Amino acid sequence: MEAGDLFKVPGDSAVFYVNADMEKMYFFNSEVYHTWYDDFSGVVEIAPTCTDAYPDAKGVSYLPGSVLVKTTISPSVYVVEPNNKLEKLADENAAKALYGTDWAKKVRDVPSIFFLTFTKETTSLDGTKPHEGMLVKKGTVTYKVDGGALKTIDGTLPAFVAKYVQSPAASVVDAL
């Protein structure tokens, strides 16, 4: 196995990702997996005895900017950023500014045990600018927020990723 590989063991539906440190990271459900991959064609089966060669790491979270998350025991809503980071949305206005008027449909309840996958930032987003990892569109140009700046996406995004591109107001996109 190499960094970036996906594997599972026979008779088990769990899929794992091998990270740069050669640790295995689990996808805690199929929806999380499908924010990163279109299908399971890249998943290889390995013998259960081989899994011990890859130490456990935290799980893989949703693709940054794909959905909003909250625990089942709290009303607070968070955006997903790179490296399993969460940043709390300050309020409903911030959610609408970044994710549109249908933002509530993009919220996923995550069982508290899986919230351990994430690191919570101490700041809150006020919706005045896009967050790290977010895919945004302004006019006909799609950008990814990377390092606090807009990076133009060249070419066409796969359909399973393109559905996560947000279209906030031009003033929000222009803030970067």
Side-chain angles (χ1 to χ4, degrees), residues 42-92:
V43 179
V44 298
E45 270 193 358
I46 65 172
T49 54
C50 296
T51 64
D52 290 339
Y54 307 97
D56 293 320
K58 289 185 174 183
V60 179
S61 66
Y62 288 95
L63 179 72
S66 61
V67 298
L68 301 167
V69 297
K70 63 181 265 328
T71 67
T72 54
I73 61 170
S74 170
S76 296
V77 177
Y78 299 85
V79 301
V80 179
E81 296 184 335
N83 301 314
N84 291 358
K85 291 183 183 173
L86 296 180
E87 199 159 0
K88 186 177 176 180
L89 286 165
D91 53 31
E92 186 174 341

Side-chain angles (χ1 to χ4, degrees), residues 142-165:
T142 301
Y143 303 94
K144 179 179 181 179
V145 180
D146 185 9
L150 296 173
K151 307 285 181 170
T152 304
I153 301 290
D154 294 327
T156 304
L157 290 169
F160 76 95
V161 174
K163 67 183 178 185
Y164 301 121
V165 175

Side-chain angles (χ1 to χ4, degrees), residues 55-143:
D56 293 320
K58 289 185 174 183
V60 179
S61 66
Y62 288 95
L63 179 72
S66 61
V67 298
L68 301 167
V69 297
K70 63 181 265 328
T71 67
T72 54
I73 61 170
S74 170
S76 296
V77 177
Y78 299 85
V79 301
V80 179
E81 296 184 335
N83 301 314
N84 291 358
K85 291 183 183 173
L86 296 180
E87 199 159 0
K88 186 177 176 180
L89 286 165
D91 53 31
E92 186 174 341
N93 290 332
K96 285 179 183 175
L98 295 174
Y99 285 85
T101 56
D102 66 342
W103 69 272
K105 293 179 182 176
K106 299 171 185 174
V107 177
R108 301 297 183 266
D109 282 328
V110 175
S112 297
I113 189 69
F114 293 126
F115 242 68
L116 299 174
T117 296
F118 303 106
T119 302
K120 290 183 190 173
E121 296 294 315
T122 56
T123 56
S124 290
L125 295 175
D126 62 8
T128 58
K129 64 181 182 181
H131 63 82
E132 280 298 307
M134 191 174 187
L135 295 169
V136 295
K137 190 171 206 167
K138 181 179 175 192
T140 60
V141 181
T142 301
Y143 303 94

Side-chain angles (χ1 to χ4, degrees), residues 1 6 11-12 18 24 33 41 52 57 104 133 140 152:
M1 304 291 300
L6 300 166
D12 193 327
V18 179
K24 63 181 177 280
Y33 178 87
S41 62
D52 290 339
T140 60
T152 304

